[in-house]
Amino acid sequence: MRFFITLCLLMFMNLTCFAEPQLRDYDEFDIPDGYFIPVISLQEFSTAYCEEGDKVNFKTTNDIFLYNKKVIPSGTKLEGYIDKKNEPIIGTHGAMKVFVNKMYLPDGYEVPIKAYVYTSNNNTIGGGLTEPAEYIKMPHYARWTMFRAMSVTQYVPGARRKMGEHVTVSAGANLMLVLTEPIHLTHIVLPEE
C-alpha cells in the first residue's frame, strides 16, 4: 500500500511540475523604428521664446495597436525637449527640432523612447526660405510671334530676401512622432472592465 501511495504521489508531482500555470499576457514586444504616433501638443513652443533644452509635452490622440494588442492607449503622455534651435536670419525662417525621450502610460509606468516630431524637412519644424525683398524687371522673349521676335517684360525675384520669422507650434496642434529606435515594451495597460 505504501508503494502504491508513493507511486501516486510521484506521478502527481510529475504532472504538476510539467503543467504550465495560466498567466496573463505579459509577452515582450517591440514597436519598430519608423513607426508614426499621432499626438497633440499640450503647450505652445516657439523659436521666439524657447531655448534648446526646454521641455515640451504631448499626448497621444489614438490607441496604438501592434497586431491585435493595444500597446499605447489613448491619453498616454510624452515628454521631450527642444534638441536644436536656429534663430531666423535674412533669407531663412526660424527652425527647431524636437526630440521626445519619455512616455508615461496612463497607469504611471514610464518607458524610455527615442522619437522626433516628424516633418518632411528632415524632422525640422520651420526653416523655409523667406519671400524675396525685391523683384526686378526682365524681358522674356517669345520667339516667332507673328514672324518676328517679341518680348514681354516680367518681374522675377531678385537676389535679396526678407528677414525670417519665428516659427511657433500652438497648444493643441496635431503632430506626428516618428520613432528613431524601437520601443521595447514589457508592460501594457490592461483594459478597464
Side-chain angles (χ1 to χ4, degrees):
M1 185 68 162
R2 278 187 164 168
F3 176 74
F4 181 70
I5 292 175
T6 307
L7 184 62
C8 287
L9 283 174
L10 284 174
M11 289 178 63
F12 179 72
M13 285 174 45
N14 276 343
L15 289 176
T16 57
C17 289
F18 293 117
E20 291 189 27
Q22 295 295 325
L23 298 176
R24 293 189 335 194
D25 192 11
Y26 283 108
D27 291 338
E28 297 179 3
F29 48 91
D30 289 332
I31 300 174
D33 58 344
Y35 201 84
F36 289 101
I37 301 173
V39 296
I40 60 170
S41 175
L42 295 180
Q43 69 195 58
E44 181 178 277
F45 54 96
S46 172
T47 56
Y49 50 83
C50 292
E51 297 298 326
E52 289 183 5
D54 285 357
K55 290 187 179 183
V56 290
N57 296 299
F58 305 97
K59 193 177 213 180
T60 57
T61 56
N62 298 336
D63 293 330
I64 307 297
F65 286 87
L66 188 64
Y67 304 112
N68 61 349
K69 287 185 186 175
K70 181 172 33 171
V71 292
I72 302 175
S74 178
T76 299
K77 292 183 182 173
L78 296 115
E79 184 180 291
Y81 59 91
I82 297 175
D83 187 34
K84 185 176 182 181
K85 173 186 142 181
N86 294 332
E87 292 287 337
I89 58 173
I90 294 175
T92 307
H93 294 297
M96 62 182 153
K97 276 190 165 187
V98 177
F99 182 72
V100 178
N101 60 350
K102 294 179 186 174
M103 178 173 66
Y104 299 99
L105 296 174
D107 62 354
Y109 190 78
E110 180 182 338
V111 179
I113 67 170
K114 290 185 178 179
Y116 280 98
V117 172
Y118 175 76
T119 64
S120 60
N121 186 20
N122 196 22
N123 300 331
T124 303
I125 301 169
L129 287 176
T130 60
E131 294 292 321
E134 64 181 358
Y135 288 89
I136 56 175
K137 290 182 182 180
M138 183 165 286
H140 174 73
Y141 293 99
R143 293 176 42 174
W144 300 108
T145 305
M146 306 262 271
F147 300 105
R148 61 186 177 171
M150 296 181 67
S151 68
V152 176
T153 304
Q154 291 183 332
Y155 286 95
V156 295
R160 296 183 324 144
R161 296 266 175 186
K162 292 182 181 177
M163 180 65 185
E165 298 177 358
H166 289 284
V167 63
T168 302
V169 176
S170 62
N174 289 318
L175 302 168
M176 290 292 257
L177 298 181
V178 60
L179 296 176
T180 58
E181 287 190 9
I183 300 176
H184 184 70
L185 286 174
T186 58
H187 174 84
I188 59 172
V189 177
L190 295 175
E192 297 174 5
E193 295 179 17

